[in-house]
Amino acid sequence: MTAYEENAHVVSVNANTDLSTYQHRFVKLTNASGEARLVVCGDGEDAFGVLTDKPNAAGIPGRVAVGGIVKVQAGGAFNAGVRVSSGANGKVNAVGTGDKVLGWAMKTSSGDGHIVPVLFAPIG
C-alpha cells in the first residue's frame, strides 16, 4: 500500500485540539482566534484533507494530505471503486444521500477500522 501514498500532497496545519487518536481520518478547518485549525470531520461533511500523523495538543502542527492517494480508516465495509465520504469521527464510508463526495476507494474495505487507500479528490 505504500506506493499509493507516494502521490499525496501534504501540508502542515495546527490542530485545534488533541488529534492523536484520529490519524488516517478526514479533517476540516475551523476558525480559532483568526487562525485556521484542524478538527475532525463529521458524518457527510466536506473535508480539507486526511490527517497523516498524530498531533497531541492544540497548536501542534498536523500533517494533512490535501490531494492524491492516501490511507484512510474505514467506518464500514464497501467495495473498491465506490465514491466515498466522511462518516462519523472522520472515518471513510461509501457516499450516502446528501453526503459530500470526497473521492474514490482504491481497495475494498472489510469493515470498521480497516485502513484503505483513497483517492482524495473532493467533488461535492
Side-chain angles (χ1 to χ4, degrees), residues 59-116:
I60 301 294
R63 292 181 46 81
V64 181
V66 294
I69 299 174
V70 63
K71 290 190 249 180
V72 187
Q73 187 177 23
F78 51 81
N79 290 324
V82 300
R83 289 181 177 187
V84 295
S85 64
S86 177
N89 295 314
K91 292 182 178 181
V92 65
N93 285 322
V95 169
T97 303
D99 289 351
K100 300 288 185 182
V101 175
L102 301 178
W104 291 264
M106 302 302 292
K107 287 197 175 185
T108 296
S109 167
S110 60
D112 187 38
H114 189 213
I115 303 292
V116 293

Side-chain angles (χ1 to χ4, degrees), residues 16-59:
N16 195 45
T17 189
D18 180 352
L19 297 177
S20 60
T21 60
Y22 294 96
Q23 183 180 30
H24 304 304
R25 297 198 195 179
F26 291 116
V27 290
K28 62 183 181 178
L29 297 177
T30 190
N31 179 3
S33 302
E35 178 185 3
R37 295 243 179 137
L38 298 173
V39 293
V40 176
C41 283
D43 195 16
E45 291 186 322
D46 203 1
F48 174 69
V50 177
L51 187 64
T52 64
D53 65 356
K54 301 176 181 184
N56 61 4

